Amino acid sequence: MFKGLRPIQYGGREVWPLIEGGKGVAVSNHMSSGAWAAAGGIGTVSAVNADSYDPEGKIIPQIYRTLTRRERHEELVQYAIDGAVEQVRRAFDISDGRGAININVLWEMGGAQRVLHGVLERTRGLVTGVTCGAGMPYRLSEIAASYNVNYLPIISSARAFRALWKRAYSKAAEWLAAVVYEDPWRAGGHNGLSNAEDPLQPQDPYPRVKALRETMREGGISDDVPIVMAGGVWYLREWNDWIDNPELGSIAFQFGTRPLLTRESPIPDAWKQHLTELDEGDILLHRFSPTGFYSSAVRNDFLRNLEHRSERQIAFSLEAAGDHQYKLDVGVKGKSYWVTRNDLLRAREWDMLGFTSALKTPDNTLVFVTPEEMKTIRKDQADCMGCLSQCSFSSWADMEGNSTGRLADPRSFCIQKTLQDIAHGGPIDQNLMFAGHAAYRFKQDPFYSNGFVPSVKQLVDRILTGD
Ligand SMILES: Cc1cc2nc3c(=O)[nH]c(=O)nc-3n(C[C@H](O)[C@H](O)[C@H](O)COP(=O)(O)O)c2cc1C
Ligand code: SF4
């Protein structure tokens, strides 16, 4: 057993302080989370548009039958509740009473509160806690406490926790089971970088977690309430100084990327295979997500395409003014757009290369795409089923009027479509492949040599050795 690592009390049981991070869409499901719990840790079922099954056990494709976004949003919420309930029940069976099962939601997903209520209502006694990040989940504590379930907020700074604690969590303090510190420069999936933080200057997690502990102490929270370190955790021996350290209090560890490569991980084999081929620097922290958050994913053709699209971008005015003295004569029909001379020349070049359609962005710029890309963008925007509370790509908003009031942004993409596709066997180079920045370590770690893919139990046992 690795030095100093001891089981913690969670949900009235002893469990290893090792958590499988929740991963949507359909990436941490009953198989992975049930197995993680069975190995003695805390498994997390993703309640973000989870899969349901038909009577033969086949995944039910989430097909939308209604005509408006509002109606499709309702269908989506129903799919999400049914899927998560099914996943929790199966995970609980697999866990066989060992470890614990949590669920994960994103606060900024469409209908998040309704999904939480719907799932917790139908899984009483099965779920030990809810992890939730992506936004400021003020009402998380109240909802979890109303079902006698723990909550574990995911934050990326002490400041965010202080605001949540003061405004809401202090009123349901007994159900706060842990605080997850997710390193915004290193973790896979969406990242909580604030505007004040430089995406190119990763900060050491230690002082940030120490500050979080100090903030928790100011709120009167016991040092026995663990801080869960998430993001870039690989070998526990590299976190030696964190364990049994009075400055930090109780510490647990969350793994998101490592459990992707296990036998129980439901992602397609091509995705697993690709993980073993990555090099350092192949993961990109970027800002294309329609949520507006930063996120980390493999820099594949899908992401490169978005990078290039944003590079084929020029500012315009609707009348000749300042530097914008040249009328654009490619990409647009009818309307007059005035641009700089240099941008006119660039636009003509893109046009010659086949990027013959210019699309307006909410920032008074135009991006140049091929006619096929334009068709896909328009179709994806029209097919929107309202999976987010606010979406920059389609302008959908989960409120009166169902619009953000801003122009739909062609520099982004439909995250629901792409995450569903990659999880269910779509091409791995043409979809968003979330991964943490330590994913390159699969290639170097001798545990995975000769193509070895461990079971979840083998992975947890390996982690417990310090490796
Ligand atoms: C494929 C993938 C999907 C993820 N999806 C979610 C999610 O839906 N909700 C969430 O809170 N975190 C999500 N995460 C973050 C993980 O739960 C975890 O905190 C993170 O991956 C830890 O960092 P690591 O990738 O370095 O292990 C995701 C991570 C990955 C790799
Ligand atoms: S367009 Fe935006 S809100 Fe609509 S389904 Fe896609 S990602 Fe979700």
Tab-separated table of all heavy atoms in Angstrom, residues 76-134:
chain	number	residue	atom	x	y	z
A	76	LEU	N	-34.811	15.956	-24.567
A	76	LEU	CA	-33.451	15.758	-24.072
A	76	LEU	C	-33.431	15.572	-22.551
A	76	LEU	O	-32.754	14.684	-22.029
A	76	LEU	CB	-32.582	16.951	-24.475
A	76	LEU	CG	-31.163	16.964	-23.932
A	76	LEU	CD1	-30.162	16.971	-25.080
A	76	LEU	CD2	-30.912	18.168	-23.055
A	77	VAL	N	-34.194	16.387	-21.853
A	77	VAL	CA	-34.228	16.275	-20.388
A	77	VAL	C	-34.759	14.889	-19.998
A	77	VAL	O	-34.227	14.230	-19.097
A	77	VAL	CB	-35.078	17.415	-19.774
A	77	VAL	CG1	-35.361	17.164	-18.296
A	77	VAL	CG2	-34.381	18.758	-19.964
A	78	GLN	N	-35.775	14.430	-20.718
A	78	GLN	CA	-36.318	13.105	-20.427
A	78	GLN	C	-35.306	11.996	-20.704
A	78	GLN	O	-35.109	11.096	-19.891
A	78	GLN	CB	-37.612	12.884	-21.231
A	78	GLN	CG	-38.512	11.794	-20.641
A	78	GLN	CD	-38.798	12.011	-19.145
A	78	GLN	OE1	-39.236	13.082	-18.745
A	78	GLN	NE2	-38.514	11.020	-18.295
A	79	TYR	N	-34.627	12.084	-21.861
A	79	TYR	CA	-33.562	11.108	-22.160
A	79	TYR	C	-32.512	11.116	-21.053
A	79	TYR	O	-32.017	10.085	-20.618
A	79	TYR	CB	-32.839	11.478	-23.470
A	79	TYR	CG	-33.472	10.989	-24.756
A	79	TYR	CD1	-33.630	11.856	-25.832
A	79	TYR	CD2	-33.837	9.659	-24.927
A	79	TYR	CE1	-34.169	11.427	-27.038
A	79	TYR	CE2	-34.381	9.215	-26.129
A	79	TYR	CZ	-34.546	10.113	-27.183
A	79	TYR	OH	-35.071	9.680	-28.366
A	80	ALA	N	-32.153	12.329	-20.605
A	80	ALA	CA	-31.074	12.473	-19.619
A	80	ALA	C	-31.469	11.814	-18.298
A	80	ALA	O	-30.665	11.105	-17.684
A	80	ALA	CB	-30.748	13.950	-19.401
A	81	ILE	N	-32.702	12.039	-17.872
A	81	ILE	CA	-33.145	11.455	-16.596
A	81	ILE	C	-33.218	9.931	-16.718
A	81	ILE	O	-32.655	9.198	-15.909
A	81	ILE	CB	-34.503	12.046	-16.160
A	81	ILE	CG1	-34.365	13.549	-15.890
A	81	ILE	CG2	-35.054	11.312	-14.937
A	81	ILE	CD1	-35.676	14.276	-15.621
A	82	ASP	N	-33.890	9.461	-17.761
A	82	ASP	CA	-34.042	8.006	-17.927
A	82	ASP	C	-32.682	7.322	-18.017
A	82	ASP	O	-32.452	6.269	-17.412
A	82	ASP	CB	-34.842	7.685	-19.207
A	82	ASP	CG	-36.298	8.129	-19.093
A	82	ASP	OD1	-36.758	8.388	-17.964
A	82	ASP	OD2	-36.967	8.235	-20.145
A	83	GLY	N	-31.779	7.935	-18.790
A	83	GLY	CA	-30.452	7.333	-18.991
A	83	GLY	C	-29.678	7.277	-17.687
A	83	GLY	O	-29.105	6.237	-17.336
A	84	ALA	N	-29.660	8.371	-16.958
A	84	ALA	CA	-28.872	8.400	-15.722
A	84	ALA	C	-29.431	7.426	-14.690
A	84	ALA	O	-28.677	6.745	-13.988
A	84	ALA	CB	-28.829	9.815	-15.159
A	85	VAL	N	-30.755	7.335	-14.600
A	85	VAL	CA	-31.369	6.396	-13.644
A	85	VAL	C	-30.936	4.969	-13.985
A	85	VAL	O	-30.516	4.188	-13.116
A	85	VAL	CB	-32.912	6.535	-13.664
A	85	VAL	CG1	-33.571	5.385	-12.896
A	85	VAL	CG2	-33.330	7.883	-13.086
A	86	GLU	N	-30.997	4.653	-15.272
A	86	GLU	CA	-30.603	3.313	-15.723
A	86	GLU	C	-29.122	3.037	-15.389
A	86	GLU	O	-28.754	1.963	-14.906
A	86	GLU	CB	-30.832	3.243	-17.245
A	86	GLU	CG	-30.471	1.939	-17.889
A	86	GLU	CD	-31.396	0.802	-17.460
A	86	GLU	OE1	-32.568	1.074	-17.155
A	86	GLU	OE2	-30.911	-0.343	-17.425
A	87	GLN	N	-28.281	4.040	-15.648
A	87	GLN	CA	-26.842	3.861	-15.389
A	87	GLN	C	-26.571	3.682	-13.899
A	87	GLN	O	-25.751	2.849	-13.508
A	87	GLN	CB	-26.042	5.069	-15.919
A	87	GLN	CG	-26.102	5.256	-17.421
A	87	GLN	CD	-25.473	4.111	-18.192
A	87	GLN	OE1	-24.605	3.416	-17.700
A	87	GLN	NE2	-25.942	3.905	-19.415
A	88	VAL	N	-27.256	4.465	-13.071
A	88	VAL	CA	-27.031	4.364	-11.617
A	88	VAL	C	-27.449	2.986	-11.119
A	88	VAL	O	-26.724	2.333	-10.360
A	88	VAL	CB	-27.808	5.469	-10.860
A	88	VAL	CG1	-27.844	5.179	-9.365
A	88	VAL	CG2	-27.189	6.824	-11.129
A	89	ARG	N	-28.615	2.523	-11.556
A	89	ARG	CA	-29.088	1.204	-11.084
A	89	ARG	C	-28.090	0.115	-11.455
A	89	ARG	O	-27.745	-0.739	-10.640
A	89	ARG	CB	-30.456	0.888	-11.698
A	89	ARG	CG	-31.549	1.750	-11.082
A	89	ARG	CD	-32.921	1.387	-11.624
A	89	ARG	NE	-33.932	2.271	-11.026
A	89	ARG	CZ	-35.056	2.626	-11.609
A	89	ARG	NH1	-35.350	2.178	-12.820
A	89	ARG	NH2	-35.901	3.420	-10.993
A	90	ARG	N	-27.620	0.150	-12.689
A	90	ARG	CA	-26.672	-0.886	-13.127
A	90	ARG	C	-25.337	-0.765	-12.379
A	90	ARG	O	-24.739	-1.772	-12.019
A	90	ARG	CB	-26.427	-0.757	-14.630
A	90	ARG	CG	-27.635	-1.183	-15.454
A	90	ARG	CD	-27.365	-0.949	-16.936
A	90	ARG	NE	-28.469	-1.447	-17.747
A	90	ARG	CZ	-28.328	-2.180	-18.851
A	90	ARG	NH1	-27.121	-2.478	-19.289
A	90	ARG	NH2	-29.373	-2.604	-19.518
A	91	ALA	N	-24.908	0.481	-12.195
A	91	ALA	CA	-23.620	0.682	-11.502
A	91	ALA	C	-23.708	0.144	-10.073
A	91	ALA	O	-22.788	-0.503	-9.575
A	91	ALA	CB	-23.254	2.170	-11.491
A	92	PHE	N	-24.820	0.417	-9.444
A	92	PHE	CA	-24.998	-0.020	-8.053
A	92	PHE	C	-24.948	-1.550	-7.967
A	92	PHE	O	-24.311	-2.106	-7.082
A	92	PHE	CB	-26.315	0.522	-7.499
A	92	PHE	CG	-26.463	0.310	-6.026
A	92	PHE	CD1	-25.834	1.156	-5.116
A	92	PHE	CD2	-27.210	-0.750	-5.530
A	92	PHE	CE1	-25.954	0.954	-3.743
A	92	PHE	CE2	-27.342	-0.959	-4.161
A	92	PHE	CZ	-26.716	-0.101	-3.270
A	93	ASP	N	-25.600	-2.209	-8.915
A	93	ASP	CA	-25.558	-3.676	-8.949
A	93	ASP	C	-24.128	-4.180	-9.081
A	93	ASP	O	-23.708	-5.092	-8.377
A	93	ASP	CB	-26.360	-4.211	-10.148
A	93	ASP	CG	-27.852	-4.184	-9.862
A	93	ASP	OD1	-28.226	-3.956	-8.694
A	93	ASP	OD2	-28.647	-4.377	-10.818
A	94	ILE	N	-23.379	-3.561	-10.007
A	94	ILE	CA	-21.999	-4.010	-10.237
A	94	ILE	C	-21.148	-3.791	-8.979
A	94	ILE	O	-20.298	-4.608	-8.640
A	94	ILE	CB	-21.378	-3.270	-11.451
A	94	ILE	CG1	-22.107	-3.674	-12.732
A	94	ILE	CG2	-19.887	-3.555	-11.568
A	94	ILE	CD1	-21.720	-2.851	-13.955
A	95	SER	N	-21.404	-2.680	-8.286
A	95	SER	CA	-20.567	-2.345	-7.120
A	95	SER	C	-20.756	-3.364	-5.995
A	95	SER	O	-19.875	-3.534	-5.155
A	95	SER	CB	-20.895	-0.941	-6.609
A	95	SER	OG	-22.123	-0.963	-5.892
A	96	ASP	N	-21.923	-4.005	-5.991
A	96	ASP	CA	-22.170	-5.064	-5.026
A	96	ASP	C	-21.957	-4.588	-3.584
A	96	ASP	O	-21.387	-5.302	-2.751
A	96	ASP	CB	-21.230	-6.239	-5.342
A	96	ASP	CG	-21.848	-7.567	-4.924
A	96	ASP	OD1	-23.059	-7.589	-4.660
A	96	ASP	OD2	-21.090	-8.564	-4.828
A	97	GLY	N	-22.354	-3.353	-3.345
A	97	GLY	CA	-22.286	-2.836	-1.975
A	97	GLY	C	-20.914	-2.331	-1.549
A	97	GLY	O	-20.735	-1.887	-0.423
A	98	ARG	N	-19.925	-2.426	-2.451
A	98	ARG	CA	-18.589	-1.922	-2.085
A	98	ARG	C	-18.419	-0.496	-2.596
A	98	ARG	O	-19.116	-0.056	-3.511
A	98	ARG	CB	-17.510	-2.830	-2.679
A	98	ARG	CG	-17.471	-4.210	-2.029
A	98	ARG	CD	-16.289	-5.017	-2.555
A	98	ARG	NE	-16.441	-5.289	-3.984
A	98	ARG	CZ	-16.933	-6.428	-4.483
A	98	ARG	NH1	-17.296	-7.388	-3.692
A	98	ARG	NH2	-17.059	-6.600	-5.780
A	99	GLY	N	-17.454	0.231	-1.997
A	99	GLY	CA	-17.158	1.590	-2.448
A	99	GLY	C	-18.405	2.463	-2.432
A	99	GLY	O	-19.277	2.298	-1.572
A	100	ALA	N	-18.493	3.399	-3.371
A	100	ALA	CA	-19.667	4.279	-3.421
A	100	ALA	C	-19.881	4.750	-4.859
A	100	ALA	O	-18.941	4.810	-5.649
A	100	ALA	CB	-19.459	5.488	-2.508
A	101	ILE	N	-21.143	5.090	-5.158
A	101	ILE	CA	-21.493	5.601	-6.483
A	101	ILE	C	-21.922	7.060	-6.340
A	101	ILE	O	-22.844	7.380	-5.587
A	101	ILE	CB	-22.671	4.802	-7.107
A	101	ILE	CG1	-22.322	3.313	-7.263
A	101	ILE	CG2	-23.093	5.423	-8.435
A	101	ILE	CD1	-21.310	3.007	-8.324
A	102	ASN	N	-21.245	7.932	-7.067
A	102	ASN	CA	-21.671	9.334	-7.199
A	102	ASN	C	-22.266	9.544	-8.579
A	102	ASN	O	-22.059	8.735	-9.484
A	102	ASN	CB	-20.466	10.271	-7.057
A	102	ASN	CG	-20.041	10.471	-5.605
A	102	ASN	OD1	-20.730	10.065	-4.677
A	102	ASN	ND2	-18.902	11.112	-5.416
A	103	ILE	N	-22.967	10.657	-8.729
A	103	ILE	CA	-23.343	11.080	-10.086
A	103	ILE	C	-22.721	12.451	-10.348
A	103	ILE	O	-22.378	13.184	-9.412
A	103	ILE	CB	-24.876	11.147	-10.321
A	103	ILE	CG1	-25.551	12.132	-9.358
A	103	ILE	CG2	-25.493	9.770	-10.224
A	103	ILE	CD1	-27.002	12.423	-9.731
A	104	ASN	N	-22.571	12.773	-11.622
A	104	ASN	CA	-21.989	14.058	-12.017
A	104	ASN	C	-22.915	14.775	-12.985
A	104	ASN	O	-23.454	14.164	-13.911
A	104	ASN	CB	-20.630	13.836	-12.693
A	104	ASN	CG	-20.071	15.116	-13.324
A	104	ASN	OD1	-20.191	15.334	-14.530
A	104	ASN	ND2	-19.487	15.978	-12.525
A	105	VAL	N	-23.108	16.062	-12.737
A	105	VAL	CA	-23.795	16.911	-13.726
A	105	VAL	C	-22.985	18.195	-13.914
A	105	VAL	O	-22.171	18.559	-13.069
A	105	VAL	CB	-25.230	17.311	-13.295
A	105	VAL	CG1	-26.167	16.127	-13.306
A	105	VAL	CG2	-25.236	17.990	-11.939
A	106	LEU	N	-23.223	18.843	-15.032
A	106	LEU	CA	-22.627	20.161	-15.275
A	106	LEU	C	-23.708	21.183	-14.980
A	106	LEU	O	-24.833	21.057	-15.476
A	106	LEU	CB	-22.205	20.295	-16.739
A	106	LEU	CG	-21.210	19.262	-17.252
A	106	LEU	CD1	-21.001	19.438	-18.743
A	106	LEU	CD2	-19.888	19.417	-16.521
A	107	TRP	N	-23.362	22.166	-14.183
A	107	TRP	CA	-24.376	23.137	-13.792
A	107	TRP	C	-24.919	23.881	-15.008
A	107	TRP	O	-26.087	24.271	-15.044
A	107	TRP	CB	-23.804	24.113	-12.769
A	107	TRP	CG	-24.870	24.872	-12.052
A	107	TRP	CD1	-25.094	26.204	-12.109
A	107	TRP	CD2	-25.872	24.324	-11.189
A	107	TRP	NE1	-26.165	26.533	-11.328
A	107	TRP	CE2	-26.667	25.396	-10.753
A	107	TRP	CE3	-26.172	23.034	-10.743
A	107	TRP	CZ2	-27.741	25.218	-9.893
A	107	TRP	CZ3	-27.250	22.857	-9.882
A	107	TRP	CH2	-28.022	23.945	-9.475
A	108	GLU	N	-24.077	24.095	-16.008
A	108	GLU	CA	-24.508	24.857	-17.185
A	108	GLU	C	-25.088	23.970	-18.286
A	108	GLU	O	-25.226	24.395	-19.419
A	108	GLU	CB	-23.361	25.710	-17.732
A	108	GLU	CG	-22.912	26.813	-16.786
A	108	GLU	CD	-23.984	27.877	-16.505
A	108	GLU	OE1	-25.004	27.911	-17.229
A	108	GLU	OE2	-23.803	28.651	-15.548
A	109	MET	N	-25.408	22.714	-17.957
A	109	MET	CA	-26.107	21.924	-18.974
A	109	MET	C	-27.587	22.295	-18.943
A	109	MET	O	-28.099	22.729	-17.912
A	109	MET	CB	-25.891	20.419	-18.783
A	109	MET	CG	-26.654	19.789	-17.648
A	109	MET	SD	-26.127	18.078	-17.427
A	109	MET	CE	-27.546	17.409	-16.550
A	110	GLY	N	-28.243	22.139	-20.091
A	110	GLY	CA	-29.652	22.518	-20.160
A	110	GLY	C	-30.481	21.673	-19.205
A	110	GLY	O	-30.347	20.462	-19.160
A	111	GLY	N	-31.315	22.328	-18.418
A	111	GLY	CA	-32.200	21.599	-17.504
A	111	GLY	C	-31.479	20.908	-16.364
A	111	GLY	O	-31.982	19.917	-15.808
A	112	ALA	N	-30.292	21.406	-15.973
A	112	ALA	CA	-29.472	20.715	-14.960
A	112	ALA	C	-30.265	20.428	-13.680
A	112	ALA	O	-30.210	19.310	-13.146
A	112	ALA	CB	-28.235	21.543	-14.630
A	113	GLN	N	-31.000	21.404	-13.209
A	113	GLN	CA	-31.687	21.207	-11.930
A	113	GLN	C	-32.806	20.181	-12.070
A	113	GLN	O	-33.022	19.358	-11.186
A	113	GLN	CB	-32.246	22.540	-11.431
A	113	GLN	CG	-31.126	23.547	-11.227
A	113	GLN	CD	-31.608	24.820	-10.553
A	113	GLN	OE1	-32.428	24.779	-9.645
A	113	GLN	NE2	-31.089	25.947	-10.993
A	114	ARG	N	-33.495	20.226	-13.207
A	114	ARG	CA	-34.577	19.251	-13.419
A	114	ARG	C	-34.001	17.841	-13.525
A	114	ARG	O	-34.583	16.879	-13.028
A	114	ARG	CB	-35.355	19.605	-14.689
A	114	ARG	CG	-36.237	20.829	-14.492
A	114	ARG	CD	-36.797	21.284	-15.813
A	114	ARG	NE	-37.635	20.274	-16.430
A	114	ARG	CZ	-37.942	20.254	-17.731
A	114	ARG	NH1	-37.461	21.181	-18.538
A	114	ARG	NH2	-38.717	19.329	-18.219
A	115	VAL	N	-32.860	17.724	-14.207
A	115	VAL	CA	-32.236	16.408	-14.350
A	115	VAL	C	-31.824	15.889	-12.969
A	115	VAL	O	-32.088	14.734	-12.611
A	115	VAL	CB	-31.025	16.458	-15.311
A	115	VAL	CG1	-30.254	15.140	-15.297
A	115	VAL	CG2	-31.490	16.786	-16.728
A	116	LEU	N	-31.217	16.759	-12.170
A	116	LEU	CA	-30.795	16.342	-10.823
A	116	LEU	C	-31.981	15.847	-9.999
A	116	LEU	O	-31.934	14.757	-9.416
A	116	LEU	CB	-30.170	17.536	-10.103
A	116	LEU	CG	-28.663	17.552	-9.944
A	116	LEU	CD1	-28.253	18.716	-9.061
A	116	LEU	CD2	-28.151	16.236	-9.362
A	117	HIS	N	-33.035	16.642	-9.972
A	117	HIS	CA	-34.235	16.225	-9.230
A	117	HIS	C	-34.757	14.893	-9.768
A	117	HIS	O	-35.057	13.974	-9.010
A	117	HIS	CB	-35.336	17.283	-9.358
A	117	HIS	CG	-35.185	18.423	-8.385
A	117	HIS	ND1	-35.315	18.261	-7.036
A	117	HIS	CD2	-34.931	19.746	-8.587
A	117	HIS	CE1	-35.141	19.440	-6.423
A	117	HIS	NE2	-34.895	20.359	-7.351
A	118	GLY	N	-34.865	14.818	-11.084
A	118	GLY	CA	-35.442	13.621	-11.713
A	118	GLY	C	-34.644	12.375	-11.387
A	118	GLY	O	-35.217	11.308	-11.109
A	119	VAL	N	-33.316	12.493	-11.408
A	119	VAL	CA	-32.477	11.315	-11.165
A	119	VAL	C	-32.488	10.952	-9.678
A	119	VAL	O	-32.677	9.785	-9.308
A	119	VAL	CB	-31.025	11.568	-11.644
A	119	VAL	CG1	-30.142	10.372	-11.328
A	119	VAL	CG2	-31.000	11.872	-13.137
A	120	LEU	N	-32.303	11.950	-8.812
A	120	LEU	CA	-32.212	11.649	-7.375
A	120	LEU	C	-33.537	11.086	-6.845
A	120	LEU	O	-33.552	10.208	-5.979
A	120	LEU	CB	-31.788	12.902	-6.603
A	120	LEU	CG	-30.341	13.343	-6.879
A	120	LEU	CD1	-30.023	14.665	-6.177
A	120	LEU	CD2	-29.330	12.268	-6.450
A	121	GLU	N	-34.629	11.576	-7.399
A	121	GLU	CA	-35.949	11.095	-6.999
A	121	GLU	C	-36.090	9.589	-7.248
A	121	GLU	O	-36.661	8.855	-6.447
A	121	GLU	CB	-36.998	11.870	-7.822
A	121	GLU	CG	-38.445	11.560	-7.554
A	121	GLU	CD	-38.858	11.926	-6.131
A	121	GLU	OE1	-38.577	13.065	-5.724
A	121	GLU	OE2	-39.441	11.055	-5.461
A	122	ARG	N	-35.520	9.138	-8.376
A	122	ARG	CA	-35.720	7.731	-8.774
A	122	ARG	C	-34.549	6.810	-8.403
A	122	ARG	O	-34.543	5.649	-8.818
A	122	ARG	CB	-35.984	7.669	-10.287
A	122	ARG	CG	-37.380	8.202	-10.654
A	122	ARG	CD	-37.547	8.467	-12.150
A	122	ARG	NE	-37.226	7.324	-12.990
A	122	ARG	CZ	-37.064	7.394	-14.316
A	122	ARG	NH1	-37.211	8.550	-14.940
A	122	ARG	NH2	-36.774	6.319	-15.011
A	123	THR	N	-33.570	7.342	-7.672
A	123	THR	CA	-32.420	6.472	-7.322
A	123	THR	C	-32.133	6.540	-5.821
A	123	THR	O	-30.982	6.452	-5.405
A	123	THR	CB	-31.148	6.913	-8.090
A	123	THR	OG1	-30.935	8.315	-7.843
A	123	THR	CG2	-31.264	6.674	-9.566
A	124	ARG	N	-33.171	6.700	-5.049
A	124	ARG	CA	-32.967	6.843	-3.597
A	124	ARG	C	-32.244	5.636	-3.024
A	124	ARG	O	-32.563	4.496	-3.355
A	124	ARG	CB	-34.306	7.040	-2.892
A	124	ARG	CG	-34.869	8.440	-3.105
A	124	ARG	CD	-36.220	8.604	-2.439
A	124	ARG	NE	-36.869	9.834	-2.887
A	124	ARG	CZ	-36.741	11.014	-2.275
A	124	ARG	NH1	-35.995	11.131	-1.194
A	124	ARG	NH2	-37.382	12.067	-2.744
A	125	GLY	N	-31.253	5.925	-2.204
A	125	GLY	CA	-30.493	4.851	-1.565
A	125	GLY	C	-29.357	4.301	-2.427
A	125	GLY	O	-28.556	3.496	-1.963
A	126	LEU	N	-29.279	4.719	-3.684
A	126	LEU	CA	-28.236	4.183	-4.574
A	126	LEU	C	-27.076	5.152	-4.768
A	126	LEU	O	-25.938	4.746	-4.956
A	126	LEU	CB	-28.830	3.840	-5.954
A	126	LEU	CG	-30.090	2.960	-5.979
A	126	LEU	CD1	-30.510	2.676	-7.421
A	126	LEU	CD2	-29.835	1.643	-5.239
A	127	VAL	N	-27.399	6.453	-4.730
A	127	VAL	CA	-26.382	7.472	-4.998
A	127	VAL	C	-25.876	8.038	-3.675
A	127	VAL	O	-26.664	8.430	-2.826
A	127	VAL	CB	-26.997	8.618	-5.843
A	127	VAL	CG1	-26.046	9.801	-5.938
A	127	VAL	CG2	-27.365	8.122	-7.236
A	128	THR	N	-24.546	8.072	-3.518
A	128	THR	CA	-23.997	8.614	-2.269
A	128	THR	C	-23.733	10.113	-2.368
A	128	THR	O	-23.847	10.830	-1.377
A	128	THR	CB	-22.694	7.872	-1.884
A	128	THR	OG1	-22.952	6.469	-1.911
A	128	THR	CG2	-22.233	8.242	-0.492
A	129	GLY	N	-23.371	10.593	-3.557
A	129	GLY	CA	-23.079	12.023	-3.667
A	129	GLY	C	-23.200	12.533	-5.087
A	129	GLY	O	-23.266	11.759	-6.045
A	130	VAL	N	-23.243	13.854	-5.197
A	130	VAL	CA	-23.317	14.511	-6.507
A	130	VAL	C	-22.090	15.398	-6.675
A	130	VAL	O	-21.819	16.250	-5.819
A	130	VAL	CB	-24.554	15.428	-6.610
A	130	VAL	CG1	-24.655	16.030	-8.009
A	130	VAL	CG2	-25.819	14.682	-6.261
A	131	THR	N	-21.330	15.198	-7.755
A	131	THR	CA	-20.267	16.145	-8.078
A	131	THR	C	-20.790	17.065	-9.170
A	131	THR	O	-21.505	16.637	-10.070
A	131	THR	CB	-18.986	15.442	-8.583
A	131	THR	OG1	-19.282	14.706	-9.772
A	131	THR	CG2	-18.427	14.504	-7.536
A	132	CYS	N	-20.434	18.319	-9.056
A	132	CYS	CA	-20.988	19.275	-10.015
A	132	CYS	C	-20.061	20.470	-10.159
A	132	CYS	O	-19.612	21.048	-9.172
A	132	CYS	CB	-22.360	19.728	-9.512
A	132	CYS	SG	-23.132	20.952	-10.557
A	133	GLY	N	-19.763	20.792	-11.409
A	133	GLY	CA	-18.948	21.976	-11.684
A	133	GLY	C	-19.480	22.677	-12.918
A	133	GLY	O	-20.668	22.573	-13.214
A	134	ALA	N	-18.595	23.359	-13.633
A	134	ALA	CA	-18.958	24.115	-14.839
A	134	ALA	C	-20.006	25.167	-14.520
A	134	ALA	O	-21.197	24.974	-14.768
A	134	ALA	CB	-19.429	23.194	-15.957
